[in-house]
């Protein structure tokens, strides 16, 4: 490790830990300046989390959010090259700290997924016509083995609360949260539509199918999964319907035969 790298590591350690020794070359007279810089650094990180999770902050209240954000930053100090990643993993922190209110972690996950979708690499999704062209030479084995590859930035998770209603209710600072439990639970999908990050709820069978696609499942495996969840005579139609829906909303970036 170079001297510069050691100095940088020591400086970061001092930023993250009040009790860490000053970096080499800085005497005790610089301690006050380091304390000021440390406070400014932490305040900036808290501001970043407040910007990234504005709706989550409105849901839990300013004081509770500040405490949760500070806990997250202490337990998981940022290590990425960009400050925008400081909020990564905050949904998991919320799941821990607000264990009796699962809607908090679900909303935090949604806010982060929306941010990630917005900054994802540009990718033109397949249209129905593009998909037809990509699969026009497929034989029966290819249809079994091809993999629908979702566009970059696509994210998915099961949720127990109606996130569209909660999201809309918290669009204004004075809004009252609408916390509505889903029965049964559904899947929350986030993706980018043009220049905008969007989200929607999916029924269980479609969410399971898309989750399989996100993990590299073949279309044959996706169909088999649908057959396990639906009555056999409905599975084939459901497979065609979910694939058509994914193409319609611009979820599929490419197809690959594996």
């Amino acid at each position: 490790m170079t001297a510069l790298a050691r100095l940088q590591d020591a400086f970061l350690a001092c930023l993250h830990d009040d009790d860490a020794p000053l970096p080499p070359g800085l005497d005790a007279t610089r301690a006050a300046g380091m304390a000021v810089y440390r406070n400014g650094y932490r305040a900036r990180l808290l501001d970043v989390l407040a910007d990234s999770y504005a709706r989550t902050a409105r849901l839990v209240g300013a004081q509770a959010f500040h405490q949760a954000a500070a806990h997250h930053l202490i337990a998981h100090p940022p290590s990425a090259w960009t400050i925008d990643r400081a909020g990564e993993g905050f949904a998991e922190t919320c799941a821990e700290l607000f264990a009796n209110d699962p809607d908090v972690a679900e909303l935090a996950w949604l806010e982060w997924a929306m941010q990630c979708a917005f900054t994802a690499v540009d990718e033109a999704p397949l249209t129905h016509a593009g998909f037809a062209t990509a699969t026009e030479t497929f034989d029966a084995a290819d249809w079994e083995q091809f993999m629908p590859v979702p566009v970059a930035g696509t994210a998915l998770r099961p949720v127990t609360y109606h996130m569209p209603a909660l999201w809309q209710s918290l669009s204004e600072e004075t809004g009252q949260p609408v916390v509505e439990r889903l029965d049964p639970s559904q899947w929350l999908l986030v993706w980018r539509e043009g220049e905008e990050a969007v989200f929607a709820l999916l029924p269980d069978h479609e969410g399971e199918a898309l989750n399989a696609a996100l993990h590299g499942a073949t279309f044959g495996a996706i169909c088999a999964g649908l057959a396990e969840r639906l009555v056999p005579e409905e599975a084939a139609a459901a497979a065609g319907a979910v694939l058509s829906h994914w193409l319609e909303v611009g979820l599929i970036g490419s197809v690959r035969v594996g």
Side-chain angles (χ1 to χ4, degrees):
M1 181 181 291
T2 66
L4 176 59
R6 288 193 294 270
L7 178 61
Q8 290 172 332
D9 285 348
F11 189 84
L12 282 173
C14 199
L15 281 180
H16 296 154
D17 185 354
D18 293 7
D19 296 325
L22 288 171
L26 299 184
D27 56 32
T29 61
R30 304 293 179 91
M34 175 59 77
V36 172
Y37 188 86
R38 182 190 295 121
N39 288 337
Y41 168 79
R42 293 175 179 176
R44 178 63 183 128
L45 289 178
L46 289 170
D47 288 343
V48 169
L49 262 67
D51 288 341
S52 297
Y53 296 96
R55 283 175 167 82
T56 304
R58 292 170 196 158
L59 176 61
V60 302
Q63 182 176 355
F65 180 82
H66 184 277
Q67 292 172 342
H71 174 89
H72 176 76
L73 292 169
I74 292 170
H76 308 283
S79 59
W81 66 270
T82 171
I83 198 173
D84 291 342
R85 304 301 298 179
E88 190 167 16
F90 186 61
E92 288 75 13
T93 298
C94 288
E96 173 192 346
L97 299 181
F98 301 96
N100 294 327
D101 299 295
D103 53 302
V104 177
E106 291 181 4
L107 180 60
W109 179 91
L110 174 56
E111 291 204 89
W112 185 252
M114 292 280 281
Q115 180 173 310
C116 292
F118 180 75
T119 57
V121 63
D122 290 337
E123 186 175 2
L126 284 177
T127 62
H128 280 87
F131 178 79
T133 299
T135 58
E136 62 184 354
T137 62
F138 277 14
D139 57 22
D142 290 333
W143 280 105
E144 282 283 329
Q145 293 300 315
F146 94 88
M147 291 175 282
V149 182
V151 295
T154 302
L156 185 73
R157 67 160 287 168
V159 290
T160 55
Y161 288 87
H162 197 295
M163 284 296 111
L166 182 57
W167 181 273
Q168 181 60 35
S169 69
L170 294 168
S171 60
E172 302 292 338
E173 289 189 11
T174 57
Q176 294 300 310
V178 175
V179 182
E180 177 184 337
R181 184 177 286 273
L182 294 168
D183 186 20
S185 61
Q186 298 185 40
W187 288 74
L188 182 61
L189 166 66
V190 176
W191 76 106
R192 195 171 75 186
E193 196 172 75
E195 298 296 323
E196 183 180 7
V198 294
F199 65 92
L201 290 173
L202 298 179
D204 184 63
H205 73 276
E206 184 173 359
E208 291 281 2
L210 184 56
N211 189 50
L214 283 166
H215 287 84
T218 64
F219 191 61
I222 291 171
C223 291
L226 287 169
E228 293 177 357
R229 292 173 178 81
L230 305 172
V231 294
E233 54 268 26
E234 294 179 356
V242 298
L243 181 58
S244 178
H245 180 231
W246 300 345
L247 291 168
E248 179 183 345
V249 300
L251 279 182
I252 305 302
S254 62
V255 295
R256 185 171 73 244
V257 177

